[in-house]
Amino acid sequence: MSLRILLMRFGIAAAGGALVALAATTPAAAGDERGLAGPPKKTVKGQVTARSGLILRSAPNRGGAVIRVAPYGEIVNIFCRTTGQTIDGNRYWYLLTDGTWAWGSARYINTWKTPRWC
């Protein structure tokens, strides 16, 4: 067997071992006590009211990187609220837990209950 093939096989085995080690040391995804993926407990439901969709960001301000756009009417899970950049007179932002953790302006999310503070 050539040295090149031997080194390639060693590299593949080392990468596989690294993935196994990472999986063994990584905590379970956010979810319930059993480690099942899903929205964390004690979230509040909200509905997106921005007609063109709500831009969800990495920080509670317009300077945060865009994570995704939540379409009009989408029901979202709100983990908590904080103050941030004022949008159309509303300074509150909600941390959403739908698929990714992202911030949305409270100006464009109607809620049934007030979310807790972050």
Side-chain angles (χ1 to χ4, degrees):
M1 187 179 317
S2 75
L3 180 60
R4 181 175 172 210
I5 292 173
L6 185 61
L7 288 174
M8 188 182 323
R9 287 185 180 176
F10 177 75
I12 291 170
L19 285 174
V20 169
L22 179 64
T25 60
T26 302
D32 68 7
E33 306 82 69
R34 297 168 295 172
L36 300 176
K41 297 208 180 286
K42 300 192 182 190
T43 59
V44 172
K45 298 275 186 210
Q47 185 171 25
V48 174
T49 62
R51 291 281 179 190
S52 58
L54 177 60
I55 298 173
L56 303 180
R57 300 183 177 275
S58 63
N61 58 59
R62 286 185 175 155
V66 175
I67 304 296
R68 74 177 182 95
V69 177
Y72 172 79
E74 180 178 335
I75 303 298
V76 293
N77 291 299
I78 303 165
F79 184 69
C80 62
R81 67 183 163 135
T82 193
T83 56
Q85 181 180 7
T86 300
I87 307 295
D88 291 338
N90 190 322
R91 64 188 180 128
Y92 298 107
W93 288 70
Y94 297 146
L95 181 58
L96 308 181
T97 63
D98 302 290
T100 59
W101 292 75
W103 293 96
S105 171
R107 167 65 179 87
Y108 296 105
I109 302 174
N110 282 347
T111 61
W112 290 265
K113 290 174 38 178
T114 302
R116 65 182 170 192
W117 287 101
C118 294

